[in-house]
Amino acid sequence: KMDGSPGDYTAPTVARHVLAILGDLTLSLRAATVAGQPMKDDSTDQLPGHRRAHSDGAAIATNVVWVAMSALVFAYIWKYGRNFPYMEDWELVPTLSGATPFRLGWLVEQTGEHRYILAKAILYPLWQLTYDGRSSMLLSAALLSAITLALMITARRLRGHGSLADVFFPLALLHTGHAETLIFFIQLCFVLPVVLFTVALLLIVTGRWERQPAAAWTIAVCVVLLPLNGAIGLLLAPAFVAWMAWVVVTRRTPAVFGVAAFATTALAALYFVGYQRPSTFVPLERTVRGSLRTLVEVFSVGLGPGGAWLWPWSGIAIGGVFAIAAIGLTVVALRRPHERTRAIGLLACVAAIGLLVAGIAWGRTVIGPGAGIPARYALLVAPGLCAAFLASIVYVWSPTTSRLAQLVLAACAAGLLWSNVEVGREYGRPRAAAADVARERLAAGTPSPVVAARYAEGLYPNVGPLAAALEMLRAQRSGPFAGLADPFGDRPCRPAEVALTQSGVHDASIVNGRLECRGNDGFAVYALSAPADVCTVTVVYEFVSASAPEAAMQIYWSLDGANGFEEIRRNQSIRVDSSPGERAVRFDVYDRLDRLRLDPDRQPCVIRIVRIELTSRD
């Protein structure tokens, strides 16, 4: 209550208010089909000075939010972005590093089910100019910041004044919940179709293409380029092609739309020439029910991955926004002939994102529950909400209802901001940590195959190709090897001339030369007579008794007591045979150390350590 009195929030009262709002919405939508004009606030004529000051203040406030959110995105890249390829990035390394000569055919090669032709055409020269994967991250952030500003300016011009509701655009497009896109070299392939879509949306909603041939050409180019952006562009293109074809048929102009529609269709057909469906494990059958569930999941992250916590209600609500926008634009197109072209154009924008979401749901549903909520999909849904937001300005239900709808979208985006930031932080920390520790090991002289085997889980699951790609980057002195000198050069590893003595045990005891580990964390510590640059540690052992046929043997190492036995940086675990008999296992260390810790198993056992052999580059 505005006067401070308590409100009535009982279910019947809330229901009455909801029904009243829906009734007002229906009447306002009917009025919109008659008017079909941008909103005009009566208070503008009554208090022009006050309205101008209020609008200027709102514009300044939204600009401040845009600057702050842009700064947040760039700061996020600075903190968590690394010049270290990740996952699909490694598949580009052979060509980027020059190990495989560049050829035009590389541009159309598949990455999974995608052909990222336009992204590759930009990423290759970008890498050759910078040798730094963060260049793509910064480009993605700059493009997102630019289209966000363009959306804000367009909203003001359509409305005739600024509004605090316009903070929706930076809050939806520039939060760090887009982490999977922001700190990923190849993810420019997600940003480019969003940029092309947004440019076309802005030109359609302003109607500039009808007055300026250059604007019509720009829309045509954007649509033609969409199929060059993998499956994302393929799913965005049909709605635009249908709209352009309809414009040409009904208006006989502009001719460039007809050419663009034909060219886009041809490129989409060529996309499947030589296409090979990826062989992936499909755990579930595709069903209508499962696809609908995944559809709601994808919609639920439309305002960022934080919305997944509110699933399914967040997905239903955002899907409802798309449905209301589509119905409203359809009604306008049917009732107002002079607004039909623009209304159908905006409907095509909403339908394009809707088709993209449906395609994601259909493709991902076989993975099972949760398949539609990866954070990267937020950037693909948000532009559809931007289209609905702009449509609510152009075709006003009523001044109050339109303003309320925009404010609700902005408030929802603001409410999820902190959650989105947290999701970005939780994603960025392990990504940066994995890259940092791998580069640290490379700087310490650890061979690429060893780094690949040890840190594959955090970098790329295929160890062999990862090791080969690391060697390619080492030869180019780029990526993680930029500015990195080999501390050992060509010095070979030889048997170490250092003595190794046992210096202590934990949760264990030494009985008759046998190490008896009583609990799950039993281990022995060994000290070197002098620090050494150790390459490998070979343990010759014999299990006297064990809890299972296999044991998880680990070693840790440390230097000068300055660091402990760290789980990530100074540890290696290998599954070994624990059946009777003398055996040997080799651990790849490649680090400077003066202490070793041997954990025979994670369960109680009795083991005889026959000897421990070291090789070193000293």
Side-chain angles (χ1 to χ4, degrees):
K1 292 281 188 173
M2 295 296 292
D3 60 1
S5 61
D8 183 3
Y9 299 111
T10 60
T13 303
V14 172
R16 285 197 299 271
H17 283 298
V18 170
L19 290 174
I21 291 173
L22 290 176
D24 180 50
L25 180 61
T26 303
L27 293 174
S28 302
L29 181 58
R30 185 180 302 170
T33 64
V34 176
Q37 298 296 329
M39 179 177 66
K40 179 180 179 181
D41 195 332
D42 294 338
S43 61
T44 303
D45 298 328
Q46 298 171 4
L47 298 170
H50 174 75
R51 170 57 60 185
R52 189 180 304 111
H54 174 75
S55 300
D56 290 345
I60 292 173
T62 54
N63 286 343
V64 168
V65 173
W66 170 74
V67 170
M69 296 301 294
S70 297
L72 175 65
V73 166
F74 284 104
Y76 182 82
I77 293 173
W78 174 81
K79 184 171 184 179
Y80 296 116
R82 295 293 185 270
N83 187 17
F84 210 116
Y86 178 73
M87 296 303 173
E88 286 89 348
D89 290 347
W90 294 102
E91 298 174 17
L92 306 181
V93 166
T95 299
L96 295 180
S97 66
T100 300
F102 173 82
R103 54 187 179 82
L104 292 178
W106 174 74
L107 296 177
V108 300
E109 287 180 357
Q110 287 183 228
T111 301
E113 69 272 22
H114 299 283
R115 295 185 193 267
Y116 297 128
I117 301 171
L118 184 59
K120 286 183 176 181
I122 295 174
L123 291 173
Y124 181 80
L126 195 61
W127 178 267
Q128 301 307 319
L129 288 172
T130 64
Y131 290 147
D132 196 319
R134 289 167 294 191
S135 58
S136 171
M137 304 174 196
L138 295 173
L139 176 59
S140 293
L143 290 172
L144 291 176
S145 180
I147 63 171
T148 300
L149 180 60
L151 285 163
M152 292 167 55
I153 293 173
T154 300
R156 291 173 198 160
R157 291 178 176 175
L158 291 172
R159 192 186 293 110
H161 58 81
S163 171
L164 287 177
D166 293 344
V167 299
F168 165 76
F169 298 112
L171 292 176
L173 294 173
L174 295 176
H175 58 75
T176 54
H178 297 305
E180 290 187 41
T181 298
L182 295 175
I183 54 174
F184 204 152
F185 180 74
I186 199 175
Q187 282 299 99
L188 182 65
C189 64
F190 265 56
V191 175
L192 291 176
V194 169
V195 171
L196 295 173
F197 171 91
T198 305
V199 171
L201 165 66
L202 293 175
L203 294 175
I204 290 172
V205 76
T206 57
R208 292 181 61 184
W209 65 272
E210 297 183 272
R211 304 183 300 273
Q212 302 174 4
W217 274 91
T218 302
I219 294 176
V221 170
C222 288
V223 175
V224 169
L225 291 177
L226 282 176
L228 306 183
N229 292 275
I232 297 171
L234 283 180
L235 290 169
L236 288 174
F240 286 108
V241 169
W243 174 72
M244 291 191 302
W246 177 82
V247 170
V248 172
V249 170
T250 58
R251 300 182 53 163
R252 308 293 181 184
T253 185
V256 66
F257 277 9
V259 175
F262 176 80
T264 305
T265 304
L267 286 174
L270 289 173
Y271 184 96
F272 295 98
V273 174
Y275 179 84
Q276 296 181 351
R277 186 173 182 177
S279 56
T280 56
F281 173 68
V282 179
L284 299 174
E285 291 185 3
R286 184 177 285 107
T287 63
V288 174
R289 182 177 180 180
S291 298
L292 289 175
R293 181 201 63 233
T294 309
L295 182 75
V296 176
E297 289 176 349
V298 178
F299 274 131
S300 71
V301 298
L303 290 176
W309 293 100
L310 302 174
W311 185 87
W313 307 115
S314 55
I316 293 172
I318 292 177
V321 172
F322 276 73
I324 291 172
I327 294 171
L329 290 168
T330 301
V331 172
V332 171
L334 293 173
R335 297 288 183 86
R336 296 301 300 168
H338 73 279
E339 278 291 326
R340 186 168 296 156
T341 302
R342 176 163 61 169
I344 295 179
L346 288 173
L347 179 61
C349 294
V350 174
I353 298 297
L355 181 60
L356 174 58
V357 172
I360 294 172
W362 182 256
R364 297 276 300 182
T365 188
V366 294
I367 300 176
I373 60 175
R376 61 183 176 274
Y377 294 145
L379 187 62
L380 303 181
V381 181
L385 294 175
C386 294
F389 189 102
L390 294 177
S392 73
I393 298 176
V394 176
Y395 303 113
V396 181
W397 298 335
S398 73
T400 301
T401 306
S402 179
R403 196 178 300 121
L404 179 61
Q406 297 161 28
L407 287 172
V408 167
L409 281 175
C412 291
L416 290 173
L417 177 60
W418 180 250
S419 180
N420 289 331
V421 169
E422 282 297 303
V423 170
R425 185 181 302 168
E426 292 302 314
Y427 180 82
R429 283 174 176 169
R431 278 283 307 275
D436 289 343
V437 68
R439 190 175 191 276
E440 180 184 295
R441 293 298 89 217
L442 293 171
T446 307
S448 297
V450 176
V451 172
R454 191 178 298 173
Y455 304 112
E457 183 177 353
L459 299 174
Y460 187 67
N462 298 326
V463 177
L466 174 58
L470 280 169
E471 284 302 299
M472 295 172 191
L473 293 175
R474 184 192 294 272
Q476 194 185 47
R477 310 307 301 174
S478 61
F481 296 95
L484 199 64
D486 189 342
F488 298 111
D490 296 329
R491 285 186 291 164
C493 295
R494 298 186 177 90
E497 298 179 358
V498 293
L500 193 66
T501 58
Q502 186 176 323
S503 62
V505 295
H506 175 269
D507 202 13
S509 58
I510 305 292
V511 180
N512 297 326
R514 299 172 178 175
L515 178 63
E516 297 185 0
C517 299
R518 293 184 291 270
N520 297 332
D521 193 29
F523 60 79
V525 179
Y526 300 85
L528 280 67
S529 58
D533 288 314
V534 175
C535 297
T536 63
V537 176
T538 300
V539 179
V540 181
Y541 66 92
E542 179 183 13
F543 273 94
V544 179
S545 67
S547 302
E550 279 191 344
M553 186 177 292
Q554 298 181 79
I555 65 165
Y556 296 78
W557 58 92
S558 182
L559 175 66
D560 297 333
N563 53 67
F565 295 121
E566 296 183 38
E567 185 74 29
I568 298 178
R569 286 176 170 79
R570 299 173 179 87
N571 163 261
Q572 187 179 8
S573 176
I574 298 178
R575 302 293 299 183
V576 299
D577 189 347
S578 59
S579 59
E582 187 174 304
R583 292 176 174 81
V585 59
R586 191 189 77 177
F587 295 88
D588 296 307
V589 175
Y590 293 92
D591 202 357
R592 189 165 184 80
L593 57 95
D594 61 3
R595 289 188 302 161
L596 278 174
R597 167 181 151 182
L598 174 63
D599 294 39
D601 198 1
R602 295 172 181 170
Q603 303 179 66
C605 66
V606 178
I607 187 173
R608 182 171 68 91
I609 306 301
V610 180
R611 62 182 179 277
I612 299 178
E613 302 171 345
L614 309 180
T615 61
S616 172
R617 282 173 166 157
D618 288 335

